[in-house]
Amino acid sequence: MIINSEREQQISAGEQKIRRALWKSVAVITLFLLIGSAGFYWLKQGPVECPTDSPVSVVPKSPSPSGDRLPPPVLFHDITDQAGISFVHVNGAYGERLMPEAIGSGAAFLDYDNDGDQDLFLVNSRGWTGQESKGTPPTQALYRNDGRGGFTDVTAAAGLALTTYGMGVAVGDYDNDGWIDLYLTTLEENHLFRNEHGRFREVTTQLGVAGPAGEWSTSAAFVDFDNDGDLDIFVGNYVRWSRAIDLEIDFRLTGLGRAYGAPNHFVGTNSRLYRNDGAAGFADVTAQAGIIVNDPVSGLPVGKALGVLVVDYDRDGWQDVIVANDTTRNFLFHNRGNGTFEETGVFDGIAFDRDGKATSGMGIDGAYFRNDRDLGVVIGNFANEMTSLYVTADGATPFADEALLEGLGPSTRLALTFGVLFLDYDLDGRLDLLQANGHLEHEINRVQPSQHHAQPPQVLWNCGEDCPVRFIDVKNSGDLVNPLVGRAATYADIDGDGDLDFLISQNGGRPALFRNDQQLGHHWLRVKLIGEQSNRSAIGARIELIAEGIRQYRELSPTRSFLSQVELPVTFGLGGTSRVESLTVHWPGGHVQEVSVDGVDRLLVVKQAP
């Protein structure tokens, strides 16, 4: 229904807020009565020796949906074999339980050959020195999409057959030549590959973006933080790690032997920011830009970055960076617009959970999931920690953790969640939530019966305003019921049918590619932006779409989830409407462009107007 007057809009908004507040009050009272005193799982509590009689968490039940507010019938089918993807992640594990083995690895959808469909890059690690397996060493992998969801391995031909202990990936056109480039993070030095018409050439050394040897880099992002029209690089770094440090701490599972270590026993690190200076390469501006965050007492770095999100949270036209840290407070680097950042996570309410505690932050995403001005930032956490959902109030900070209020507490508490993604899987115009789950320890079920190494992914359907809770765990989802040792999660429309398919990587195993087989008849619009004055990839642009009086927002930034990148085109679900009333693009740098939309169920390519 189209609301035709401002007064009617105010009344409608007021009624919605009252209704939502009522439901939330009931939900909160119910949840707090049911929630027991579940603590952090043993790996996150600090002691190196862990008891076998871990307490069983009390998990409240979500209010059940009723009537026509049930999740729609949508099935996801695992087509990994059918699609031709034979990649296997190698983590090098051979018995010493070294911490990096359990973390990776990432994935990215990107159109590397400019043929209009989304190809796939998969990050690989390798065997430890002296423990390499016989045969061909493992390498990174690039798969070319045939446009119908079939993939062919083109790694060697594309110049990406690199053997290294890889972690994450970032994509963007750093030199504005119209070809998407690729940045690979590792446990060692990082790598930048320039895309030369479908073949990649490494340019790391000459452009100065390798980072110090021995820095453990995780998620990375291309971002135009200074609005000068080219893409800079933000690199998240995890903990100060070495095999010697890991073995000296000697983590143990009681009665089972050596275990993977917890990050709270390692010293933190600072992330890095590289400014793109064009032909001169990149300059490390980490310190002068304000990315250094040290503890005022110890003088040691605070950060333990796993997830990175680039988003203009205050809509001032400058890209900010939010970092999900593992067992220490999250960071919000507010862009001052003068080449520097101020870390405001505590002040802006995103540093800690609702109880004032740091969580085990893994993956991260952000979106306007209510179709209003309030930004939601979701962060996946460790087992027995619910997923965090930080939301602004009337479009302004401070954020408040509304995970319980929106239904994520009961559904997400038990799982160990790495990748998280907002996506409209059923194309109804509301953003749903995908979670990739999986534990670190193969034998965890022997010491904690509620936990398993492989865990099913989750899709949580966005029910909307007039529901007891917004996010409802979808139980009948096809092949998603199968457990995975999930890490990264990324999405793209791989077969050109308008809905979003997704991939979940597995630690030490094969990824799982899920085809979205929804057949609900919902309309959609996909938008691809090409920057002219702004960066060519249009990273940092904000798109506003109005259909049937409902306003949807998308911010174009492929860096999402955990160690991963999603496709650059942006998808809007339209539900039953076949008419778009308006489409507005806010380009990086401040240029605003109104775009006419002549039809739906298609890809709309928008070039930045002069």
Side-chain angles (χ1 to χ4, degrees), residues 263-325:
N264 52 358
H265 293 285
F266 293 86
V267 175
T269 60
N270 281 302
S271 297
R272 291 193 178 272
L273 179 64
Y274 297 98
R275 186 186 63 220
N276 188 340
D277 288 339
F282 288 79
D284 187 339
V285 295
T286 304
Q288 67 191 68
I291 305 301
I292 302 293
V293 183
N294 292 334
D295 183 271
V297 177
S298 68
L300 297 173
V302 175
K304 299 176 182 181
L306 283 179
V308 172
L309 175 68
V310 176
V311 61
D312 182 8
Y313 77 96
D314 55 358
R315 297 188 177 209
D316 64 355
W318 298 89
Q319 293 293 289
D320 311 294
V321 179
I322 304 177
V323 176
N325 285 313

Side-chain angles (χ1 to χ4, degrees), residues 160-310:
L160 291 174
L162 172 70
T163 298
T164 185
Y165 209 101
M167 282 285 151
V169 58
V171 298
D173 185 1
Y174 79 85
D175 54 359
N176 288 328
D177 67 349
W179 295 84
I180 294 294
D181 310 300
L182 187 147
Y183 187 78
L184 176 69
T185 65
T186 81
L187 188 64
E188 301 148 331
E189 293 185 348
N190 301 322
H191 301 266
L192 177 61
F193 294 93
R194 182 175 187 264
N195 188 342
E196 298 178 340
H197 299 266
R199 180 170 177 83
F200 291 87
R201 178 172 62 89
E202 183 162 5
V203 293
T204 310
T205 302
Q206 53 266 49
L207 296 186
V209 290
E215 242 178 22
W216 183 351
S217 297
T218 52
S219 293
F222 282 101
V223 51
D224 185 5
F225 81 92
D226 49 5
N227 276 347
D228 65 351
D230 55 33
L231 291 173
D232 315 293
I233 304 175
F234 183 95
V235 182
N237 289 323
Y238 193 29
V239 297
R240 188 181 302 168
W241 180 90
S242 71
R243 178 175 175 273
I245 294 173
D246 202 328
L247 294 177
E248 182 179 355
I249 297 174
D250 196 23
F251 298 92
R252 295 278 167 175
L253 272 172
T254 301
L256 294 180
R258 174 108 174 126
Y260 287 113
N264 52 358
H265 293 285
F266 293 86
V267 175
T269 60
N270 281 302
S271 297
R272 291 193 178 272
L273 179 64
Y274 297 98
R275 186 186 63 220
N276 188 340
D277 288 339
F282 288 79
D284 187 339
V285 295
T286 304
Q288 67 191 68
I291 305 301
I292 302 293
V293 183
N294 292 334
D295 183 271
V297 177
S298 68
L300 297 173
V302 175
K304 299 176 182 181
L306 283 179
V308 172
L309 175 68
V310 176

Side-chain angles (χ1 to χ4, degrees), residues 287-538:
Q288 67 191 68
I291 305 301
I292 302 293
V293 183
N294 292 334
D295 183 271
V297 177
S298 68
L300 297 173
V302 175
K304 299 176 182 181
L306 283 179
V308 172
L309 175 68
V310 176
V311 61
D312 182 8
Y313 77 96
D314 55 358
R315 297 188 177 209
D316 64 355
W318 298 89
Q319 293 293 289
D320 311 294
V321 179
I322 304 177
V323 176
N325 285 313
D326 192 357
T327 68
T328 189
R329 62 184 174 90
N330 303 315
F331 295 155
L332 195 165
F333 290 105
H334 173 244
N335 192 334
R336 290 171 164 152
N338 61 359
T340 68
F341 292 82
E342 179 184 12
E343 202 287 293
T344 63
V346 174
F347 178 80
D348 282 319
I350 207 166
F352 303 107
D353 68 6
R354 63 187 303 115
D355 297 321
K357 298 178 181 178
T359 63
S360 305
M362 310 286 188
I364 184 171
D365 197 7
Y368 297 90
F369 66 93
R370 293 174 180 162
N371 289 337
D372 60 15
R373 291 180 60 84
D374 282 328
L375 173 68
V377 175
V378 62
I379 296 178
N381 293 315
F382 206 79
N384 294 328
E385 292 179 320
M386 73 183 75
T387 295
S388 302
L389 180 61
Y390 300 95
V391 188
T392 59
D394 295 324
T397 57
F399 289 89
D401 189 350
E402 298 192 5
L404 278 172
L405 304 180
E406 296 290 14
L408 297 187
S411 300
T412 67
R413 181 176 296 278
L414 276 181
L416 198 169
T417 300
F418 281 88
V420 289
L421 283 174
F422 285 110
L423 75 166
D424 185 0
Y425 76 87
D426 58 347
L427 301 177
D428 66 351
R430 298 188 299 269
L431 288 167
D432 313 298
L433 182 62
L434 169 69
Q435 297 202 153
N437 304 321
H439 212 284
L440 306 180
E441 293 290 347
H442 293 74
E443 299 171 304
I444 187 61
N445 185 249
R446 295 178 61 182
V447 295
Q448 193 170 18
S450 64
Q451 291 298 316
H452 298 272
H453 186 219
Q455 302 177 2
Q458 291 173 281
V459 168
L460 296 107
W461 179 61
N462 187 337
C463 186
E465 295 293 334
D466 52 344
C467 294
V469 292
R470 179 177 299 272
F471 289 104
I472 298 172
D473 199 356
V474 179
K475 301 301 183 183
N476 301 316
S477 53
D479 291 336
L480 283 187
V481 300
N482 298 323
L484 302 172
V485 186
R487 294 297 184 261
T490 179
Y491 63 71
D493 177 11
I494 64 170
D495 48 10
D497 62 358
D499 57 36
L500 292 174
D501 314 290
F502 53 84
L503 178 137
I504 294 175
S505 72
Q506 288 201 82
N507 180 263
R510 296 183 63 192
L513 178 63
F514 294 95
R515 186 182 61 215
N516 184 343
D517 285 333
Q518 66 85 25
Q519 297 180 9
L520 302 172
H522 289 163
H523 295 291
W524 48 273
L525 182 70
R526 286 168 55 77
V527 181
K528 177 182 178 181
L529 301 183
I530 300 176
E532 295 292 343
Q533 294 78 38
S534 66
N535 69 87
R536 181 87 174 180
S537 302

